[in-house]
Amino acid sequence: MITFLVLVLIVLGICCVFLFTKPDFPLIELIVKRISFYSLIGVLICIVLLIFDLRFKGNYTTSIIGLTFILSTILLFGLTRNTWTKILCGFLTIPLFVIAFLSLIWEMSIFIIYIIVLPFEPPTAKFVINKNHNIEVRVGGFLACGESLIITESKLGVFDKQKYVGNISCVTGISKIETLEFNTNCAEFVIYHDGQTEFDNPYKYRVKF
């Protein structure tokens, strides 16, 4: 999240420079426009996959696609002289300008960015269950008091499908997960965490499918 905000702020600054200096780099603009367009297609594909509980394999694949679209669109907003292109890019860039300004005086504006970024956030940790299944540790949802566990199943060689999603009783700072049992009906894990809660460390966690 911090890395995302820093990169967005840097590109917003570059965009401001371009807006005031009005440079003319047609080749760079064309390249950035293509990157923005193809990454937009990638974002739309990612959104459709998320609706069906699917993600591309790789911890950072979805994050990179989303970040590429945002950064290239902001940059294109500052570079382009085409009115329609600037208007289209403005639907994303102008709200980010406003949120970035509000974040200086209103902390809740960061929460808005968090809502947008959360579906594209990579897992904080990922552990292998077997050759077809993994267990991911992700930032908990808005009502969660701890981290979330997501059990995924490999699909078609390039996707991970969510098989189970759960918040594990406010346990935080998960550093290691060992699998004790895993079958079609249930699973049991040993979870090592930071010990900041009242739960045993390691903590046994059992789920039913």
Side-chain angles (χ1 to χ4, degrees), residues 47-61:
I47 292 173
V48 173
L49 290 174
L50 287 172
I51 292 173
F52 294 98
D53 293 330
L54 290 167
R55 291 177 183 266
F56 286 111
K57 281 186 176 293
N59 291 353
Y60 299 97
T61 304

Side-chain angles (χ1 to χ4, degrees), residues 98-176:
V98 174
I99 292 172
F101 175 76
L102 288 177
S103 66
L104 300 174
I105 55 176
W106 186 44
E107 293 183 358
M108 186 58 73
S109 62
I110 300 297
F111 181 73
I112 299 172
I113 297 179
Y114 179 78
I115 294 174
I116 298 171
V117 172
L118 186 59
F120 295 90
E121 276 277 283
T124 57
K126 188 173 184 177
F127 305 94
V128 176
I129 298 175
N130 55 40
K131 65 178 182 180
N132 293 319
H133 297 86
N134 296 297
I135 182 166
E136 298 178 352
V137 181
R138 290 185 174 272
V139 177
F142 304 119
L143 300 178
C145 58
E147 294 169 325
S148 295
L149 286 185
I150 299 178
I151 297 174
T152 63
E153 182 180 6
S154 179
K155 292 289 185 181
L156 302 176
V158 294
F159 302 115
D160 282 328
K161 182 175 177 60
Q162 293 183 174
K163 185 174 182 178
Y164 169 85
V165 180
N167 295 310
I168 56 171
S169 306
C170 299
V171 174
T172 60
I174 296 173
S175 58
K176 183 180 179 181

Side-chain angles (χ1 to χ4, degrees), residues 9-209:
L9 289 174
I10 290 173
V11 177
L12 281 173
I14 296 172
C15 180
C16 286
V17 172
F18 286 156
L19 285 173
F20 287 113
T21 59
K22 297 182 180 180
D24 188 13
F25 302 127
L27 180 58
I28 295 177
E29 179 183 337
L30 178 61
I31 293 172
V32 174
K33 183 183 293 186
R34 288 180 177 177
I35 292 173
S36 178
F37 175 74
Y38 290 121
S39 58
L40 171 61
I41 294 175
V43 167
L44 295 176
I45 292 173
C46 288
I47 292 173
V48 173
L49 290 174
L50 287 172
I51 292 173
F52 294 98
D53 293 330
L54 290 167
R55 291 177 183 266
F56 286 111
K57 281 186 176 293
N59 291 353
Y60 299 97
T61 304
T62 303
S63 302
I64 290 172
I65 292 172
L67 187 59
T68 300
F69 168 66
I70 292 173
L71 298 183
S72 60
T73 302
I74 295 172
L75 194 59
L76 184 60
F77 180 79
L79 277 172
T80 188
R81 292 187 176 185
N82 183 280
T83 303
W84 283 109
T85 302
K86 192 173 287 291
I87 290 173
L88 291 174
C89 294
F91 282 112
L92 174 66
T93 306
I94 294 175
L96 284 176
F97 269 121
V98 174
I99 292 172
F101 175 76
L102 288 177
S103 66
L104 300 174
I105 55 176
W106 186 44
E107 293 183 358
M108 186 58 73
S109 62
I110 300 297
F111 181 73
I112 299 172
I113 297 179
Y114 179 78
I115 294 174
I116 298 171
V117 172
L118 186 59
F120 295 90
E121 276 277 283
T124 57
K126 188 173 184 177
F127 305 94
V128 176
I129 298 175
N130 55 40
K131 65 178 182 180
N132 293 319
H133 297 86
N134 296 297
I135 182 166
E136 298 178 352
V137 181
R138 290 185 174 272
V139 177
F142 304 119
L143 300 178
C145 58
E147 294 169 325
S148 295
L149 286 185
I150 299 178
I151 297 174
T152 63
E153 182 180 6
S154 179
K155 292 289 185 181
L156 302 176
V158 294
F159 302 115
D160 282 328
K161 182 175 177 60
Q162 293 183 174
K163 185 174 182 178
Y164 169 85
V165 180
N167 295 310
I168 56 171
S169 306
C170 299
V171 174
T172 60
I174 296 173
S175 58
K176 183 180 179 181
I177 298 178
E178 295 178 352
T179 304
L180 297 180
E181 180 184 0
F182 187 84
N183 55 54
T184 56
N185 299 315
C186 64
E188 186 172 14
F189 305 98
V190 174
I191 299 170
Y192 297 83
H193 55 94
D194 58 12
Q196 297 298 312
T197 59
E198 70 276 14
F199 298 98
D200 294 335
N201 191 13
Y203 171 68
K204 282 191 176 181
Y205 182 67
R206 186 174 181 84
V207 298
K208 292 183 178 181
F209 301 128

